[in-house]
Every structure is written in C-alpha cells, then in structure tokens.
Amino acid sequence: MQYFPLASEPASGIAGWATSLVETMGGPGAGLAIALENLFPPLPSEIILPLTGFAAGQGVISLFSALFWTTLGSVVGAVALYQIGALFGRDRMYALWERLPLVKVSDLKKTEQWFVKHGMKAIFFGRMIPIFRSLISVPAGVERMPLPIFVLLTTLGSFVWNFILVMAGYLLGDQWELVESYVGVLSKVVLVLVVAALAVAVGRRLRSRRGDRQKDHV
C-alpha cells in the first residue's frame, strides 16, 4: 500500500500508534484499532475515530472506508467480548477482569446492572458512552442475548457514534484533537437522554397499571 504521510501527524502515544496503523493498512488499520479499543477499553475511541476522520480528510483513506472499517471493527470487537462473556460466565469473567491492568471491576459491575435493567436499549445507547461501549458486550454474552439482535443493535449504535466522531475529525482537519475535549459532554448528554426516556417509559407503565387497577375495582 502506498504511504501518504498525514499533515501535522502525531508521532507518539496512542495517536501515533493509530496513525501508523491507518497509514500502513488504510481502512482495515482503522478497523483493527477500533476492534482493539473495544477489547481493551483504556484505548480511547475519542482519539482513534477523529484521527481516522482526519486521515480521510487528508486523502489517506476514503470517508466511506473510514466509516465502514471502524464500524466493522466495533462489531468484531464487541462480538469477541460477547463470546468471552458467554464462554466464561459471570464468576470467571469477574475473576479474569480483576487480573487485567488499567480496568476496574466496578465499571464491569455498573455495566452489568445497566444491562440487566435496560436490556436492548443498553446495547444500542451504550455504544455512545466511553467504557460502557466496550463492557456492555460482556453481560450480553453472559445472559446469552440472541446474537443476531446483539449484532444489529451493536452495528446501529456503533455506526452512530463512529459517524459523529469520524465526521468531526474530517471537518476539523488538523484540529481533530478538539473532539476529545467535547466527547465527555456528548456522552453525558446521551446518558441523560437515555435516563429521561426510560423515566418517561416507566412513568407511562405505572400510569397504565394504575388505570387497569381502577377499572378492576369499578
């Protein structure tokens, strides 16, 4: 593959590593970086995805390739974690997680509780929240969520998240690093919207049940 150096390219750290993958492998390199990000949450998508968009803006890869391969990488990484969760089960998964560096068991517990409470919504919207976007695959595997549904929700949620961050890097150009500063705010907004939507849904169910009880008494 022909080498196209990025203007103002980062030379070190995670950004430098992601840059070298994209320059060497093109779109599949971006997909590999995101697959690894799913498998190892400390790798930040808020750096890798905007950088991939920047590479697309520089002509290193096409925008379609950037979106296709990063979404495919997200799905591959998520399915791998799903299979690990299904294979190991809850207890062995927690035992394994305790031995891994740079990850917290508390994050896995919170994610599991969120999945048990919200099910399919957690898979879709969880793809837009750092840390949760990776870990949500584990309880889905442990609980043996139907794989076709898991893959569909993962693809849709991942594409939305990847599209936002890749396009941000594409449009910002050599200022792609600004994206990282705003990702935390965006993730919190998504979480607030999810909680609000769920609260409305629960409120409607409670009102519906009260209405049914009143009819029964009449």
Side-chain angles (χ1 to χ4, degrees), residues 107 140 148 171 180:
D107 287 334
L171 296 173
E180 186 181 4

Side-chain angles (χ1 to χ4, degrees), residues 3 18 61 67 74 90 107 121 143 148-149 164 192 202 210:
Y3 177 85
I61 57 176
L67 293 170
S74 297
R90 187 178 187 278
D107 287 334
K121 293 187 180 82
E143 298 296 327
I149 294 176
I164 292 171
V192 169
V202 170
R210 286 173 185 170

Side-chain angles (χ1 to χ4, degrees), residues 34-69:
I34 289 298
L36 293 173
E37 178 265 337
N38 270 264
L39 290 168
F40 194 60
L43 292 176
S45 64
E46 56 267 34
I47 291 178
I48 298 170
L49 290 170
L51 182 58
T52 302
F54 174 45
Q58 294 290 310
V60 178
I61 57 176
S62 69
L63 187 57
F64 173 82
S65 179
L67 293 170
F68 173 80
W69 285 104

Side-chain angles (χ1 to χ4, degrees), residues 13 15 21 30 53 58 64 89 148 175 204:
L21 278 179
Q58 294 290 310
F64 173 82
Q175 294 183 302
R204 286 177 178 174

Side-chain angles (χ1 to χ4, degrees), residues 94 97-99 103-111 135:
Y94 273 94
W97 208 257
E98 287 177 347
R99 297 189 180 96
V103 295
K104 299 178 181 178
V105 174
S106 59
D107 287 334
L108 184 57
K109 288 181 179 179
K110 290 176 184 176
T111 306
L135 301 186

Side-chain angles (χ1 to χ4, degrees), residues 119-132:
M120 290 191 292
K121 293 187 180 82
I123 299 298
F124 177 79
F125 289 105
R127 299 299 167 192
M128 306 172 205
I129 303 172
I131 302 298
F132 278 73

